[in-house]
Amino acid sequence: MRTHAIISGRVQGVGFRYTAKQKADELGVTGWIRNNEDGTVELDAEGNMDQVDQFIQALKNGLTPVIRVEQIDQTSTHKNYGYRNFSIKN
């Protein structure tokens, strides 16, 4: 399963990408995450359905007290790209 998401809220300048990568690594999720110029964060995540669902739920919960996720717009598909790890893009 693959999910592409745009996350808005207090998600830049608060360690969101780094804590998201830690959570992805912990759950065995692969893909990437990056900051967008409009203040949102974008990601593409792959794994089995349970892994990806747990990952998105962790993101919704904010990961740390300073992170505040207001909205996650996501699209899911069964077509995977075969990412080997979870990386932070610049």
Side-chain angles (χ1 to χ4, degrees), residues 46-89:
E46 290 183 353
N48 67 41
M49 190 177 296
D50 188 48
Q51 289 170 309
V52 174
D53 287 346
Q54 284 183 48
F55 180 60
I56 296 298
Q57 189 59 49
L59 299 180
K60 286 179 182 177
N61 292 338
L63 299 171
T64 71
V66 296
I67 295 169
R68 189 180 70 247
V69 172
E70 293 175 0
Q71 186 172 342
I72 298 180
D73 294 321
Q74 70 184 81
T75 305
S76 297
T77 180
H78 290 286
K79 181 184 177 194
N80 289 343
Y81 289 135
Y83 299 120
R84 294 186 178 175
N85 57 22
F86 195 87
S87 63
I88 296 172
K89 291 186 172 185

Side-chain angles (χ1 to χ4, degrees), residues 3-8 40-41 43 60 71-75:
T3 293
H4 182 265
I6 304 291
I7 302 143
S8 58
T40 62
V41 170
L43 66 82
K60 286 179 182 177
Q71 186 172 342
I72 298 180
D73 294 321
Q74 70 184 81
T75 305

Side-chain angles (χ1 to χ4, degrees), residues 10 16 33 58:
R10 188 175 188 199
F16 182 77
I33 191 166

